[in-house]
Amino acid sequence: MQKTDISVHDLVGQIERGELRLPEMQRGYVWRATRVRDLLDSLYRGFPSGNILVWETDTSMPQREMAVAQLQSPFKGYKLLLDGQQRLTSLSAILRGDPVSVRGRQKPIDILFNLDHPETLEEVLDIDDDEDNDPDGLDDDDDKDESIEAQAQRLTFVVSSRRLASLPNWMSVTEVFKSDGDTEFLRKAGLKDFEDPRYQRYTQRLQRLRQIRKYMYSVQILERDMTYNEVTEVFVRVNSLGAKLRSSDLALAQLTARWRGALSVFDEFEDECKDENFPLQSGTLIRALVVFATGQCRFRTVGSLSEEELKQAWDIAKKNLRFAIQFARNNADFENPALLGSPYALLTLAYLAHTRGGEFKGADDSKLRFWLRIASGRGRYSRGSSETYLDQDLALVRRSEIGALIDTVRQQFGRLLLDEEEFDGRNQRASIFRLMFQALKAGGATDWRSQIAISATNFGADHKLQFHHIFPKAILQRKKVPQSQINDIANLAFLDGKTNRKIASKPPKEYLAEIAEKQGDGPLAKQCVPLDRNLWEVERYAEFLAARRKLLTSCVNGYLGNVPD
């Protein structure tokens, strides 16, 4: 194996010219902007950033598109990137100013650099780096925003926001890389002459930022005479050591070594599901293939399957996944796979369809619908040992009736229908939150302003669905209510984005009364809001939660219906 040191600038050039490409075994680009920010911070400080592994070959091999634009190399030979894709794709996007393509969408990566950043790491260790967007899409607490802005001033790099980008000391990293001159950046920072005491510090920092282009990566190059199977084995071993890839990514590498062109087959089905507004990820499709090839879900068997076995299993998997999607969406109200919590439920459903030849008796529909809703709503596959639970259910499907699947959920959770206590202390991450949404939707819940039915498929800034804190966070925070109680499921409703923003931090006793006056009590009742106006007072927040939990429990259990015999 050869080793050589290559600069970031030269590696990005190889990507742009099409000399460094991705083999089919690689996963797509998955980094979030915060990971790119952290990479830049490490390179800026000269910290180690790992190695790059490539395979130099003249042999034509199946490839996948990189997330950044590439030219076609005029040369016969090229290098296939085995380790380092996320880093080099990110750096290529930043240095070139190009967007990355993620699941068919062009996504810009815009990172800002702070000319006034602290000099030492000790100065930033206590920063609260919670960059999650407010799930309400609200701006309830101005003091909190001021605190975030103040904290950002102690960082070197941040993901761009309109607010920070307008400040004089924050510069677009891409714009700095594109220019060798400092004038425009110093002018934005408010410097008017060389005598400004900040001049030397700012120019040195801009130069240091541009030095990232000269950062040297150690590149290990596999020999030309290695076979694709041997390279796949190296890829799997290298990426298994640090658990940097999901097991499905490693399975894909082994799979493509036996079935060349498999990735394009999966991509085609992904596109079909996306066109049907029911997107499934490649990891789900690979696991489905394994399920139909082996009758169990674990990836360890992929390496022993022949190309013919893989192709046959995939044909069966596609057919039955289509059934599972139609049933979940049309019979059980799952508008998209996110509402399922885990795609494993689809795999069990698809496998059941396969064992039945796609034919079900009259009573099977209600049983299957109940199982799918309760298994997803209780999170059967969303907890630890999810593969074990899936394998148990696949084994049951081969030898038992649908009722046995329902029994496994009862055994796992002790009961099927919900009680009020199960809503207590839960937040939007709980499985029953999705079940609550489905139950409210089935009951005719609408937005309180537009009267448009709540739906996960609503689109546009005005109508895209958000969950709304009935008692606004800002009000409860001022009353020193614990965060866990503020985000309690019983304090959450579903509204259009425009309505959510319009309500903002108004007291519930005011805005709920306005809604009731304009729309009547119906829209509030359909979202299980207690109609006793005394409970809309902030002093009675705990009583409001208890009353709404009771209403939600009744609503959800009514949606689930009677437990099938």
Side-chain angles (χ1 to χ4, degrees), residues 33 64 102 362 369 434 465 534:
R64 73 177 303 153
V102 180
R369 182 169 56 250
R434 296 186 294 270
L465 200 66
N534 293 320

Side-chain angles (χ1 to χ4, degrees), residues 329-343:
R329 184 171 57 189
N330 301 337
N331 293 44
D333 305 326
F334 289 91
E335 295 180 308
N336 62 44
L339 291 173
L340 288 164
S342 168

Side-chain angles (χ1 to χ4, degrees), residues 129-227:
D129 186 25
D130 182 5
E131 294 198 351
D132 291 339
N133 291 327
D134 182 346
D136 280 341
L138 299 179
D139 188 10
D140 285 341
D141 190 347
D142 292 335
D143 292 336
K144 183 179 179 183
D145 283 337
E146 289 171 4
S147 174
I148 291 173
E149 184 176 311
Q151 289 183 15
Q153 298 301 337
R154 296 165 58 195
L155 293 169
T156 305
F157 296 92
V158 297
V159 178
S160 182
S161 71
R162 191 176 304 171
R163 188 166 176 174
L164 284 177
S166 67
L167 298 179
N169 59 305
W170 289 98
M171 308 297 158
S172 164
V173 171
T174 295
E175 294 304 316
V176 174
F177 281 139
K178 283 184 173 181
S179 172
D180 291 324
D182 297 338
T183 303
E184 63 177 296
F185 307 110
L186 297 176
R187 184 181 296 120
K188 182 193 175 189
L191 276 67
K192 296 180 179 179
D193 54 52
F194 297 139
E195 301 303 321
D196 191 303
R198 297 171 294 173
Y199 176 81
Q200 185 176 4
R201 182 170 81 253
Y202 284 2
T203 54
Q204 286 177 346
R205 288 180 172 183
L206 289 168
Q207 182 181 10
R208 183 178 165 192
L209 176 59
R210 294 190 184 100
Q211 287 296 312
I212 288 177
R213 295 181 295 195
K214 297 182 180 180
Y215 182 94
M216 303 299 289
Y217 270 113
S218 176
V219 180
Q220 299 172 307
I221 306 174
L222 299 181
E223 293 82 359
R224 291 175 181 268
D225 59 359
M226 292 185 71
T227 67

Side-chain angles (χ1 to χ4, degrees), residues 478-529:
R478 286 195 289 269
K479 292 290 185 179
K480 307 300 182 183
V481 175
Q483 197 67 27
S484 60
Q485 293 181 29
I486 293 174
N487 293 323
D488 192 290
I489 282 179
N491 190 33
L492 303 179
F494 300 94
L495 299 178
D496 291 353
K498 185 173 182 178
T499 303
N500 202 3
R501 292 188 293 272
K502 189 173 181 179
I503 292 172
S505 56
K506 292 180 181 178
K509 66 178 181 180
E510 293 181 12
Y511 81 84
L512 290 177
E514 292 174 3
I515 292 168
E517 183 178 349
K518 291 180 180 179
Q519 310 283 6
D521 289 341
L524 298 178
K526 288 181 178 179
Q527 295 229 30
C528 294
V529 175

Side-chain angles (χ1 to χ4, degrees), residues 50-323:
N51 299 322
I52 305 296
L53 178 64
V54 303
W55 177 33
E56 196 167 27
T57 179
D58 294 326
T59 306
S60 178
M61 292 292 172
Q63 299 174 23
R64 73 177 303 153
E65 292 294 323
M66 215 161 189
V68 289
Q70 291 186 279
L71 301 174
Q72 286 297 323
S73 173
F75 303 105
K76 179 182 178 183
Y78 45 81
K79 300 181 185 72
L80 294 176
L81 182 58
L82 301 178
D83 189 30
Q85 179 209 167
Q86 307 298 323
R87 286 169 287 161
L88 293 187
T89 299
S90 301
L91 291 169
S92 183
I94 289 289
L95 266 66
R96 295 162 58 187
D98 289 345
V100 293
S101 177
V102 180
R103 298 172 189 165
R105 294 168 52 192
Q106 296 296 305
K107 177 183 175 184
I109 300 178
D110 195 1
I111 307 296
L112 298 178
F113 173 68
N114 183 9
L115 283 174
D116 282 325
H117 69 75
E119 199 58 55
T120 63
L121 277 176
E122 287 79 4
E123 296 176 77
V124 300
L125 288 179
D126 61 346
I127 288 178
D128 177 14
D129 186 25
D130 182 5
E131 294 198 351
D132 291 339
N133 291 327
D134 182 346
D136 280 341
L138 299 179
D139 188 10
D140 285 341
D141 190 347
D142 292 335
D143 292 336
K144 183 179 179 183
D145 283 337
E146 289 171 4
S147 174
I148 291 173
E149 184 176 311
Q151 289 183 15
Q153 298 301 337
R154 296 165 58 195
L155 293 169
T156 305
F157 296 92
V158 297
V159 178
S160 182
S161 71
R162 191 176 304 171
R163 188 166 176 174
L164 284 177
S166 67
L167 298 179
N169 59 305
W170 289 98
M171 308 297 158
S172 164
V173 171
T174 295
E175 294 304 316
V176 174
F177 281 139
K178 283 184 173 181
S179 172
D180 291 324
D182 297 338
T183 303
E184 63 177 296
F185 307 110
L186 297 176
R187 184 181 296 120
K188 182 193 175 189
L191 276 67
K192 296 180 179 179
D193 54 52
F194 297 139
E195 301 303 321
D196 191 303
R198 297 171 294 173
Y199 176 81
Q200 185 176 4
R201 182 170 81 253
Y202 284 2
T203 54
Q204 286 177 346
R205 288 180 172 183
L206 289 168
Q207 182 181 10
R208 183 178 165 192
L209 176 59
R210 294 190 184 100
Q211 287 296 312
I212 288 177
R213 295 181 295 195
K214 297 182 180 180
Y215 182 94
M216 303 299 289
Y217 270 113
S218 176
V219 180
Q220 299 172 307
I221 306 174
L222 299 181
E223 293 82 359
R224 291 175 181 268
D225 59 359
M226 292 185 71
T227 67
Y228 191 85
N229 286 348
E230 290 173 328
V231 171
T232 301
E233 181 65 23
V234 171
F235 174 83
V236 170
R237 291 194 181 192
V238 166
N239 286 286
S240 295
L241 293 176
K244 291 182 287 184
L245 294 184
R246 298 170 300 178
S247 56
S248 60
D249 296 316
L250 299 177
L252 176 63
Q254 294 178 304
L255 191 153
T256 56
R258 287 157 177 76
W259 178 10
R260 305 290 173 82
L263 182 63
S264 61
V265 173
F266 293 140
D267 286 346
E268 182 180 350
F269 192 74
E270 272 193 68
D271 290 341
E272 178 184 333
C273 293
K274 193 182 302 180
D275 290 342
E276 294 299 325
N277 295 313
F278 208 91
L280 297 179
Q281 302 303 314
S282 60
T284 300
L285 305 185
I286 295 167
R287 199 175 292 275
L289 184 153
V290 172
V291 164
F292 284 93
T294 66
Q296 56 83 53
C297 72
R298 299 178 192 270
F299 290 131
R300 59 176 176 263
T301 58
V302 170
S304 63
L305 298 172
S306 68
E307 179 178 350
E308 187 59 31
E309 288 173 320
L310 291 169
K311 288 182 176 179
Q312 288 179 357
W314 176 240
D315 285 341
I316 298 171
K318 279 193 303 183
K319 175 183 176 181
N320 291 286
L321 278 173
R322 290 188 182 109
F323 170 89

